[in-house]
Amino acid sequence: MTADSTLPVASVLCAVRGSGETAVVTALTTPGSGVAVARRCADLTELLAAAGAGAGTAAIISADLPGIDRESIAHLHGCGVRVVVLAGRQDWLGDRLRTIGVDVVLDEDTPSAVLVATVRDEAHGRGRHGGQGGPPSGARPGEPQGGAAHDPAPRTGTVVAVWGPAGAPGRTTLAVHLAAELAGSDARRAQRGGRRRRRGQDAPSGTEGGDLAEALLVDADTYAGSVAQHLGLLDESPGLAAAARSAGQGTLDLAGLARLAPVVAPRLRVLTGITRAARWPELPATSLDVVWGLSRALADWTVIDCGFGLEQDELLSYDTHAPQRNGATLSALAAADVVLVVGGSDAVGIQRLVRGLGDLADSGATSGASRIVVANRVRSSAAGPRPEAAVRDALGRYGGVTDLHVLPDDRQTLDAVLLAGRTLAEHAPETPVRRAVVELAQRVRGAVRPPASTSAPGGPRERVPEPAH
């Protein structure tokens, strides 16, 4: 097949393993092919470095190249490099490769003419996906590509991100109890679920109140995750890290996510976070994008407890590829339909909240999401004799907040709930702070179009079976 003489010679990076590399390079460098092999890479590190240096616009690699995952494919796309993979004839392998973002998957015995034409077209942006680097046209960020077995349709759930500035303003506490309220668990059902949990049994899913919503609580705080401790769970095996790892390899599906997110209260699942802050590289944004997409199919509401950091590490990634320290938080905020901004109600907390609102707007991470500002632990000892009015006035004057939700200070109740490892609905259903969280849950429901429920027209949503114990 003769190359189009009007096009420049395409520079290609080759990272094919084994004896087949010689045949591939020979085919690509045939006179008149329109392709030049710019670099023969021995491993993934050399391939990523060559791509970062702009040495090629397409890469042909082996399916078994060590280290190939969603993050590395995203890096190649970010460098404007299309990715062609030589794989065997196994359908599952092709599906997995396309799921992590590979542009084209070819059989290892593909004729040389077809191989050269495919690589050349991808290098010139004329492949079936078109464009320069990135997912195929029409694909949504984080959506599995090409693997029907991994694509849960339709996505009907709503994602709620709970964020706040530094200083422990109560993000995790609010996320835990908000998720329990969005799950629709009343005090009676929640108390029964709590007793079952302490006997080592799963709470029933779908056996009571079939018209209630299901919720998934996710701990994505990479600095000080503590959702597991709030609910009295063991945290030796972080569910979110395992989900991100599977997503990076292209093997995460709806059933797999359900296995990693056990039911801890009626209609409430939990995906626990990392156990040490040093493990933050295990939660890359490219993998979490897939987790958020699958969570929409797993639950009606996904509540994500985020870390405080919003910096995007531009200096570190200026001339090299570096993971983002706050990638998990930025990914969650970008995926959210509703963002709860939580701040303290004392002088320091209000100042941090005002600055945090500005930082959040400057980050651009919440574009298109509804925003609800929450003042936590409002009390007269910190804000004066009329604390609620004082906090509203301060945030309205300095932060432009015209609609504020207030949570009262009830340290004694929250301490007892934390000590018991239970939710407010389970342990203190009639307290003022629980009623305030219930009202907040109603506001969250009203901030977005109600998600499809199990009793919506068109039949019930497919229910994921519980893992056997």
Side-chain angles (χ1 to χ4, degrees):
M1 184 178 296
T2 305
D4 186 347
S5 60
T6 62
L7 293 175
V9 175
S11 296
V12 175
L13 306 174
C14 180
V16 177
R17 305 181 74 201
S19 58
E21 185 209 19
T22 301
V24 170
V25 172
T26 299
L28 293 176
T29 56
T30 299
S33 66
V35 176
V37 177
R39 182 77 60 85
R40 298 171 71 173
C41 304
D43 52 27
L44 178 62
T45 300
E46 186 177 357
L47 175 65
L48 296 179
T57 56
I60 181 167
I61 65 177
S62 297
D64 60 349
L65 184 68
I68 284 294
D69 57 10
R70 182 178 296 274
E71 186 78 0
S72 57
I73 297 298
H75 175 63
L76 292 170
H77 283 161
C79 297
V81 177
R82 310 296 292 182
V83 183
V84 178
V85 176
L86 295 178
R89 292 183 176 274
Q90 304 96 322
D91 292 338
W92 66 267
L93 180 57
D95 288 343
R96 186 186 75 81
L97 292 169
R98 282 184 284 268
T99 297
I100 65 174
V102 167
D103 300 294
V104 178
V105 179
L106 297 177
D107 292 336
E108 292 175 331
D109 55 356
T110 297
S112 298
V114 176
L115 172 66
V116 172
T118 300
V119 173
R120 182 177 62 243
D121 289 344
E122 291 296 325
H124 288 303
R126 300 188 307 174
R128 57 191 177 95
H129 298 318
Q132 288 294 326
S137 59
R140 295 162 57 183
E143 184 175 0
Q145 304 158 18
H150 301 276
D151 193 5
R155 293 179 176 176
T156 58
T158 300
V159 175
V160 180
V162 181
W163 180 87
R171 294 182 300 268
T172 302
T173 299
L174 180 59
V176 168
H177 301 303
L178 175 66
E181 301 303 336
L182 289 174
S185 57
D186 61 26
R188 179 173 51 83
R189 293 190 181 102
Q191 288 167 357
R192 287 202 295 267
R195 288 195 293 270
R196 290 189 183 94
R197 190 168 72 219
R198 278 146 193 81
R199 291 197 301 266
Q201 300 174 2
D202 272 344
S205 177
T207 59
E208 299 175 329
D211 57 341
L212 299 178
E214 296 179 356
L216 170 65
L217 173 62
V218 184
D219 190 348
D221 187 345
T222 56
Y223 289 89
S226 58
V227 166
Q229 288 77 15
H230 274 72
L231 292 172
L233 303 173
L234 297 176
D235 62 353
E236 282 83 358
S237 180
L240 185 58
R245 193 158 48 245
S246 296
Q249 297 297 326
T251 59
L252 184 67
D253 57 12
L254 192 58
L257 183 61
R259 286 192 295 270
L260 294 170
V263 177
V264 297
R267 308 179 74 85
L268 174 63
R269 295 177 178 270
V270 173
L271 204 56
T272 55
I274 56 177
T275 55
R276 300 191 310 275
R279 296 182 63 178
W280 65 265
E282 297 181 34
L283 302 178
T286 52
S287 296
L288 292 181
D289 290 342
V290 177
V291 176
W292 311 144
L294 285 168
S295 70
R296 292 181 183 272
L298 181 64
D300 299 290
W301 297 94
T302 299
V303 179
I304 307 173
D305 178 23
C306 302
F308 63 86
L310 296 174
E311 296 81 6
Q312 300 187 32
D313 304 327
E314 292 92 344
L315 294 179
L316 293 177
S317 58
Y318 176 72
D319 59 355
T320 186
H321 174 65
Q324 286 193 327
R325 178 66 178 84
N326 303 307
T329 294
L330 295 171
S331 172
L333 292 173
D337 302 296
V338 181
V339 176
L340 268 61
V341 184
V342 187
S345 59
D346 55 19
V348 175
I350 290 176
Q351 183 185 54
R352 287 173 173 169
L353 180 56
V354 169
R355 292 177 177 175
L357 288 169
D359 293 341
L360 190 64
D362 293 341
S363 72
T366 60
S367 176
S370 300
R371 188 193 74 174
I372 300 175
V373 181
V374 180
N376 194 24
R377 297 193 63 194
V378 175
R379 58 200 186 277
S380 58
S381 60
R386 299 175 57 202
E388 183 173 330
V391 171
R392 291 184 184 277
D393 179 67
L395 289 175
R397 180 180 303 178
Y398 300 110
V401 178
T402 58
D403 188 10
L404 178 69
H405 189 86
V406 173
L407 294 179
D409 183 35
D410 192 348
R411 190 71 269 170
Q412 184 175 357
T413 297
L414 291 175
D415 283 347
V417 167
L418 180 60
L419 179 63
R422 306 173 77 181
T423 66
L424 283 167
E426 292 175 313
H427 192 73
E430 303 301 328
T431 54
V433 65
R434 195 259 171 151
R435 288 195 291 269
V437 176
V438 171
E439 293 174 2
L440 178 60
Q442 294 295 340
R443 289 196 58 180
V444 171
R445 292 186 182 101
V448 293
R449 179 176 57 84
S453 65
T454 56
S455 59
R461 191 161 53 89
E462 180 181 359
R463 191 173 297 279
V464 179
E466 301 298 332
H469 293 278

